[in-house]
Amino acid sequence: MTQSPSFAVISGAQVHEAITGREQQVTRMIEAAYRLHGEGRTVNPDSYFLRFPDQPANRIIALPASVEGEVNAHGIKWISSFPGNVAGGIPRASAVLILNDTATGYPFACLESSIISAARTAASAALAAVELAGRRGVRPRRVGFFGVGLIARYIHTYLVGNGLEFDELGVHDLSAEHAEGFKGYLERTEKGAVTIHEKAEDLVRSSDLIVFATVAGEPHVTDPAWFGHNPLVLHVSLRDLSPEIILDSYNVVDDVEHCMKANTSPHLAEQRVGNRDFVAGTLYDVLTGATTPPADKPVVFSPFGLGVLDLAVARYVYDQVTAAGDLQEIPGFFHEMKRYG
């Protein structure tokens, strides 16, 4: 007889404790998930966007997924983006994630997932930065952050946690207050010089590694000449770059089919030229050596964000909390367990 299923809730504080200071370990988990995805050992359907006609800036996204291997779980992340939250002093994004048992389908845990989402996004970006830079043979020493929210902070943490060191750090944001705040954070954690650039062009031209982490809904950086020094671009927010810049670059994505949707910059480029020939390959292709990024062209990594990555981190957190004896189960969560009462 199948054991009666249990259900646990894992708080953001527990998630934070489980992953903080383990940037390399989390990045290796993300790499393993990418490899499983590339080997066809995951299921990652399209994300579903819940939008609101009277609140076009807001959205809630469902990311279902399934991962084999050590993760061995099904699940879904439910993440909201309400940019107006920032003015009220709380983060833009909030999220929960449900893990389901692969044998019974029963959900066995609900985890606060804004931290998981930020960590997997940052680990993905850091993995891409290290792998792409290493294969180009160009170690970036000047990093620029275009957008300075929670994701930018996590990406910085994961870049440094994976061994990247910077002599110069640039900051650009539409909000001078937020730019100053991020500058202060960097100065507390970095030895390199930190500069706020009022003009976007100055940030781009002065950086070898550029991190786009904005809430832009459509391209706002349009001049390919800004990228004439052939930087490595982590295009995390997906909609910052014009089709002209995408078409002028060497493009790597996390998943081609996923990235060519929802009017991302690569999707707009595809609509412009009617093909996907401008995509050199996926991060899995880079990891396996199937494609090698050049040093004499801008290299752009555009990750749509895969639910399989969230599941990998969530399973790790669940196992860590369980091993520590801190799992908070909800007694009687599943009530009607007898078929005929």
Side-chain angles (χ1 to χ4, degrees), residues 62-118:
L63 288 82
S66 175
V67 187
E68 296 180 8
E70 292 185 3
V71 178
N72 188 34
H74 311 315
I76 188 167
K77 180 175 73 171
W78 182 237
I79 182 166
S80 67
S81 174
F82 281 53
N85 287 349
V86 176
I90 61 175
R92 168 187 61 86
S94 59
V96 294
L97 186 146
I98 300 293
L99 287 173
N100 293 73
D101 182 73
T102 55
T104 66
Y106 269 81
F108 61 87
C110 174
L111 299 88
E112 195 285 329
S113 197
S114 65
I115 297 171
I116 289 173
S117 189

Side-chain angles (χ1 to χ4, degrees), residues 17-87:
E17 183 178 354
I19 66 175
T20 298
R22 297 184 173 95
E23 289 80 20
Q24 288 193 20
Q25 192 170 352
V26 173
T27 304
R28 297 285 73 78
M29 281 187 282
I30 294 302
E31 178 181 353
Y34 273 126
R35 290 184 182 275
L36 287 170
H37 187 64
E39 294 163 4
R41 299 179 62 193
T42 66
V43 181
N44 202 106
D46 288 345
S47 301
Y48 183 85
F49 288 70
L50 176 62
R51 299 187 184 275
F52 313 97
D54 59 336
Q55 302 173 11
N58 299 336
R59 64 190 183 189
I60 309 180
I61 312 171
L63 288 82
S66 175
V67 187
E68 296 180 8
E70 292 185 3
V71 178
N72 188 34
H74 311 315
I76 188 167
K77 180 175 73 171
W78 182 237
I79 182 166
S80 67
S81 174
F82 281 53
N85 287 349
V86 176

Side-chain angles (χ1 to χ4, degrees), residues 303-339:
F304 193 80
L306 302 176
V308 297
L309 306 182
D310 296 286
L311 255 61
V313 178
R315 183 62 196 236
Y316 169 79
V317 169
Y318 177 86
D319 291 342
Q320 288 289 108
V321 173
T322 301
D326 295 329
L327 195 66
Q328 301 175 43
E329 295 188 348
I330 309 300
F333 185 82
F334 297 107
H335 180 60
E336 285 285 1
M337 298 303 297
K338 294 182 179 179
R339 187 171 187 179

Side-chain angles (χ1 to χ4, degrees), residues 122-300:
S124 168
L127 175 65
V130 170
E131 294 294 333
L132 291 167
R135 283 165 170 74
R136 294 178 92 197
V138 180
R139 194 76 168 175
R141 304 292 303 189
R142 303 177 301 163
V143 63
F145 291 91
F146 203 126
V148 296
L150 178 75
I151 297 299
R153 174 162 61 85
Y154 266 76
I155 290 175
H156 170 258
T157 299
Y158 272 77
L159 290 173
V160 174
N162 280 278
L164 292 181
E165 298 178 350
F166 304 109
D167 300 320
E168 300 176 22
L169 301 98
V171 176
H172 174 77
D173 195 270
L174 294 178
S175 166
E177 178 186 356
H178 296 163
E180 285 287 350
F182 195 70
K183 179 175 184 284
Y185 154 75
L186 291 175
E187 289 176 335
R188 292 192 300 271
T189 58
E190 283 278 358
K191 296 179 181 179
V194 183
T195 303
I196 294 178
H197 296 280
E198 292 187 8
K199 294 173 60 178
E201 179 180 358
D202 293 341
L203 177 88
V204 172
R205 288 187 181 274
S206 63
S207 304
D208 306 318
L209 174 63
I210 306 162
V211 178
F212 282 94
T214 74
V215 293
E218 57 187 25
H220 54 95
V221 177
T222 59
D223 190 349
W226 293 8
F227 300 82
H229 57 302
N230 303 320
L232 172 57
V233 180
L234 302 177
H235 188 210
V236 176
S237 37
L238 281 176
R239 295 171 179 85
D240 305 272
L241 305 179
S242 68
E244 291 80 6
I245 293 172
I246 294 292
L247 295 171
D248 201 48
S249 302
Y250 184 92
N251 291 281
V252 177
V253 300
D254 53 357
D255 183 287
V256 177
E257 289 299 326
H258 283 79
C259 207
M260 298 298 175
K261 292 182 174 70
N263 287 331
T264 64
S265 295
H267 187 206
L268 294 178
E270 179 189 32
Q271 294 173 51
R272 176 74 57 87
V273 298
N275 62 64
R276 301 175 176 180
D277 296 346
F278 58 89
V279 178
T282 65
L283 185 54
Y284 174 74
D285 294 328
V286 175
L287 291 170
T288 58
T291 185
T292 302
D296 60 353
K297 198 173 185 179
V299 174
V300 177

